[in-house]
Amino acid sequence: MSPAVEGHTEGHAADRPSVEDHARARIVTDAPLSNPVPVALRYDATGSPGAVCFAFPGGNEWIFPRDLLESGLRAPARKGDVSVWPCGRAQTVLEFHSPDGVAVVQFDSSPLVRFLRHTYATDAPAATAPAGPRR
């Protein structure tokens, strides 16, 4: 019943550091049961620094500030059409508003925390090679 991490990929090209993790989420509806859906969690440090993209099946993508996701893991947070809040100790809910309606999606928090760690690791300056002997 809980979403699970499916995988993680980090871009290694020097000109385009990026992260793509995969998670499963549940679309919250009034139906008694719902199947988990795969969600690609993306971050592009060069193209959209400070923003994350959640890509859902069918080509639905939501791009919003990374700091909103981080804040929403600890306390309810909202920016524009996206709200994020903790749901108990191990779940996080994201709510997306559009002219077509509202989508409420529930994730395990751990894949989201892991994704944020990967994005910050991508932002960290590359480790420098150890200096050779000094003369």
Side-chain angles (χ1 to χ4, degrees):
M1 196 168 194
S2 298
V5 172
E6 293 181 337
H8 165 71
T9 305
E10 269 188 54
H12 293 289
D15 58 333
R16 264 198 97 132
S18 62
V19 173
E20 181 170 308
D21 285 3
H22 297 271
R24 297 190 68 73
R26 295 211 179 265
I27 308 297
V28 178
T29 68
D30 59 356
L33 296 174
S34 65
N35 291 325
V37 297
V39 181
L41 314 175
R42 299 183 181 135
Y43 174 74
D44 181 355
T46 3
S48 300
V52 293
C53 174
F54 279 36
F56 293 88
N60 296 313
E61 291 187 343
W62 284 87
I63 298 170
F64 56 94
R66 176 175 59 179
D67 63 347
L68 174 63
L69 178 60
E70 186 173 7
S71 297
L73 288 168
R74 295 184 306 272
R78 181 178 179 134
K79 195 171 280 187
D81 294 336
V82 180
S83 298
V84 184
W85 66 89
C87 180
R89 298 175 77 177
Q91 303 278 310
T92 301
V93 174
L94 282 83
E95 184 176 274
F96 303 101
H97 293 259
S98 77
D100 296 327
V102 177
V104 180
V105 185
Q106 186 174 26
F107 289 87
D108 273 351
S109 298
S110 58
L112 302 180
V113 170
R114 189 174 306 117
F115 170 64
L116 284 171
R117 283 190 198 131
H118 293 155
T119 69
Y120 285 114
T122 300
D123 284 348
T128 56
R134 294 200 172 159
R135 297 176 190 196

